[in-house]
Amino acid sequence: MIQAVKVHRDDNVAVVVSPSGMKAGEILESQNLTLLDNVPQGHKIALADIPVGGKVIRYGVCIATATQRIPAGSWVSENLSEIPPSPELGSLEYKTPEFVETEPLEGYTFMGYRNPDGSAGTRNILGITTSVQCVAGMVNQLVQRLKAEELPKYPNVDDIVGLNHTYGCGVAINAPAALIPIRQVKNLSTNPNLGGEVLMIGLGCEKLEMKDLETFHRETGSPSVSTLVMQDEAFKGYQAIMDAGMDLGRKHLARLNERKREECPVSDLVIGMQCGGSDAFSGLTSNPSIGFAADLIVRAGGTAVFSEVTEVRDAAPVLASRCSTEETFHKLMYELDWYDKYLNTGGADRSANTTPGNKRGGLVNIVEKAMGSVVKSGSMSISDVVGPGEKLTKKGLVFAATPASDFVCGTCQLASGITMQVFSTGRGTPYSLPMAPVIKVSSRKDLSERWFDIIDLDAGRIIYGEASIEQIGWELFHLILDVASGRKISAVEKLGIQNDLVLFNPAPVT
């Protein structure tokens, strides 16, 4: 039975594995070390004396500095250390990355929905776009009626979703930062899972006018666009508005119903990667397994998207060394610097990211969390960097610079064009997305057993030697292809869990 795990040869801490933790007086046999404290599961044991000001090292990097002496065998708890400063972006320079050549992964396909623009969706969904928060109640009722009265008539359509959001008239629409929520609203409606069918509903007095959305869709070549404005004077009463929405919905459903799954290469697959409810095991099991699967997707010519600026910020030197071009390097530096300034303006910093649950799961601070989070990106070179909600234009491994907040990140990734997502969790979360399947990967075996009907894949087996990162990575890769093809349905899809879209909106609200 493994008692604790040391990740890197230079580490001076080990993470306790046993679900019941380890007790004071117990011997850590791999180090011939007697514990001085009770140490809970997921938390760290000092493997050597750490002096005041000494480095606490995990993943081979300094995750904290000791504020008091930490004797060998002690529990390295949060109150004994402080967070080190962020790496200075100005000190980083572009260097041509050195990568070992990997063989292309050939022969793998999935059954997707081909779109007129050449993209491929994993689901066939009618999305109803909203220009302003005010219409959300009406859209919710419209979705309910369409699903109850019409959806059964169109067996090739998987679902109907309202793309509701909190963007409203109080936003200063001409402020520079307003670009971010506006492009999310626009790009969400072009997600490949929606098949090019754009049904937009507005109020009529909002600042983001329907004509602006229509112009966007004409310029981007959306094949089928229709609009409904609630304040249109032609409508006499609420029921007339609902009837008009039903008529438009039927037309879009009929066209979507003509879509059929067809064999598509993995190069048409766009996978988002995210984590939430993380713990100290996330960086040992689930996240490296996701990173391995991401490498396989990229080797097969597909696109893997990782995000969460605050959870990669402390790995900036590592990411900088993986940028494929100097242009990509400068994009990365710009986005990280923009976010530093954004947090500073709000009187916060990256340390505010770490939640009480993260800390109960053994993560002492954002540096430790970041080092375990960034491994979701695998090992390939970074082909491109895009801003929050910006559309993807390149294949390969792409960094989409989004907040780390689960639902904000997920919404931004949907706007960028992911068609499904892989989500790692150690503490557990019912997180889902409304228009793309989400595969849940647990970092701990006990979570997978307790949440047997929410978790899709248990990476916690790695800790106990029951599987390797490579084996779980291949399992995940095949599961991705099965879920993308509709051969399997993810757990949150089976349960019918759909969380709200949450736009990233740093713009002023008047």
Side-chain angles (χ1 to χ4, degrees):
M1 178 66 182
I2 299 172
Q3 297 171 296
V5 173
K6 176 181 174 180
V7 181
H8 190 278
R9 65 177 181 273
D10 294 335
D11 289 359
N12 58 7
V13 296
V15 174
V16 172
V17 170
S18 171
S20 59
M22 294 186 69
K23 306 299 182 185
E26 191 173 347
I27 297 174
L28 178 58
E29 295 177 0
S30 62
Q31 303 290 321
N32 193 26
L33 179 69
T34 301
L35 267 66
L36 303 180
D37 301 313
N38 297 331
V39 183
Q41 182 192 39
H43 289 252
K44 289 169 287 298
I45 304 167
L47 301 179
D49 288 348
I50 304 174
V52 176
K55 295 179 179 179
V56 178
I57 301 174
R58 187 183 176 204
Y59 300 112
V61 300
C62 174
I63 63 168
T65 54
T67 55
Q68 55 185 282
R69 178 176 173 271
I70 306 175
S74 298
W75 176 11
V76 185
S77 59
E78 180 191 5
N79 62 349
L80 301 180
S81 65
E82 61 184 8
I83 188 170
S86 295
E88 288 288 340
L89 298 178
S91 66
L92 301 178
E93 296 180 354
Y94 175 71
K95 295 179 181 178
T96 304
E98 297 180 5
F99 286 95
V100 177
E101 287 288 332
T102 56
E103 287 187 24
L105 194 62
E106 299 176 342
Y108 290 95
T109 62
F110 72 102
M111 299 300 292
Y113 292 99
R114 180 68 64 195
N115 293 313
D117 64 0
S119 65
T122 64
R123 295 293 183 267
N124 188 23
I125 295 172
L126 172 59
I128 302 179
T129 297
T130 58
S131 62
V132 68
Q133 183 184 15
C134 310
V135 302
M138 178 266 178
V139 169
N140 288 340
Q141 289 189 344
L142 178 61
V143 168
Q144 290 173 3
R145 279 195 59 190
L146 284 169
K147 290 177 76 166
E149 300 173 25
E150 300 297 329
L151 187 58
K153 302 174 186 176
Y154 304 96
N156 293 330
V157 182
D158 295 311
D159 202 0
I160 303 168
V161 297
L163 308 185
N164 292 326
H165 53 80
T166 55
Y167 188 87
C169 292
V171 174
I173 196 166
N174 294 320
L179 164 71
I180 292 174
I182 291 171
R183 75 180 173 205
Q184 289 171 83
V185 171
K186 292 176 177 178
N187 288 339
L188 281 165
S189 58
T190 67
N191 186 281
N193 286 350
L194 305 184
E197 296 294 323
V198 181
L199 170 53
M200 299 186 293
I201 295 181
L203 185 58
C205 58
E206 60 268 34
K207 292 178 181 177
L208 179 56
E209 296 184 87
M210 195 64 73
K211 64 180 182 180
D212 295 330
L213 296 177
E214 291 172 331
T215 298
F216 166 78
H217 286 293
R218 279 198 306 271
E219 292 176 349
T220 53
S222 297
S224 177
V225 181
S226 59
T227 61
L228 185 155
V229 178
M230 291 186 69
Q231 291 176 354
D232 189 327
E233 294 182 4
F235 293 129
K236 305 299 181 184
Y238 183 69
Q239 191 57 52
I241 299 172
M242 286 294 292
D243 290 344
M246 292 292 289
D247 288 341
L248 291 174
R250 292 184 193 99
K251 293 174 182 176
H252 287 281
L253 286 169
R255 286 191 287 268
L256 284 170
N257 199 55
E258 295 174 2
R259 297 176 88 201
K260 302 290 191 299
R261 287 190 183 272
E262 60 183 85
E263 191 170 28
C264 301
V266 175
S267 57
D268 291 329
L269 205 52
V270 185
I271 305 297
M273 300 171 292
Q274 197 184 344
C275 57
S278 299
D279 67 357
F281 287 175
S282 296
L284 299 175
T285 60
S286 51
N287 288 346
S289 299
I290 291 172
F292 188 93
D295 284 351
L296 297 178
I297 295 289
V298 173
R299 284 175 56 196
T303 304
V305 180
F306 72 110
S307 297
E308 302 169 283
V309 173
T310 50
E311 293 186 25
V312 304
R313 179 63 179 82
D314 285 280
V318 175
L319 297 183
S321 71
R322 291 171 58 190
C323 288
S324 58
T325 66
E326 189 168 1
E327 179 187 12
T328 302
F329 168 81
H330 288 301
K331 284 183 177 180
L332 176 68
M333 293 301 104
Y334 171 82
E335 295 294 347
L336 297 183
D337 181 63
W338 184 94
Y339 213 88
D340 282 352
K341 293 172 181 174
Y342 164 72
L343 290 177
N344 186 57
T345 300
D349 63 24
R350 75 204 198 286
S351 65
N353 170 281
T354 319
T355 69
N358 293 153
K359 294 177 181 180
R360 285 193 294 271
L363 298 172
V364 295
N365 59 34
I366 185 55
V367 181
E368 183 180 13
K369 184 178 179 182
M371 293 305 164
S373 173
V374 76
V375 295
K376 295 194 305 295
S377 65
S379 62
M380 297 296 184
S381 64
I382 300 170
S383 63
D384 200 11
V385 174
V386 299
E390 188 177 358
K391 207 72 173 172
L392 301 172
T393 59
K394 294 182 181 179
K395 295 181 183 293
L397 179 67
V398 179
F399 177 61
T402 77
S405 174
D406 293 351
F407 304 106
V408 181
C409 174
T411 302
C412 287
Q413 287 194 352
L414 284 173
S416 291
I418 67 163
T419 55
M420 63 184 300
Q421 192 180 69
V422 178
F423 191 99
S424 160
T425 184
R427 305 285 294 173
T429 170
Y431 169 92
S432 69
L433 293 174
M435 61 187 194
V438 176
I439 294 174
K440 290 280 183 62
V441 183
S442 66
S443 73
R444 292 183 296 116
K445 193 173 182 178
D446 52 321
L447 173 64
S448 181
E449 292 171 346
R450 182 162 46 88
W451 279 23
F452 61 90
D453 51 356
I454 299 182
I455 300 299
D456 296 284
L457 183 62
D458 173 23
R461 290 173 285 158
I462 294 168
I463 287 290
Y464 301 102
E466 298 172 10
S468 66
I469 289 171
E470 181 177 349
Q471 288 171 325
I472 299 294
W474 274 107
E475 282 186 41
L476 178 56
F477 176 71
H478 288 293
L479 180 58
I480 287 169
L481 298 187
D482 283 340
V483 172
S485 302
R487 292 188 291 266
K488 291 185 178 179
I489 304 299
S490 67
V492 287
E493 285 182 289
K494 289 178 186 175
L495 294 170
I497 300 172
Q498 286 189 352
N499 290 102
D500 295 334
L501 296 170
V502 184
L503 300 181
F504 178 34
N505 182 18
V509 178
T510 59

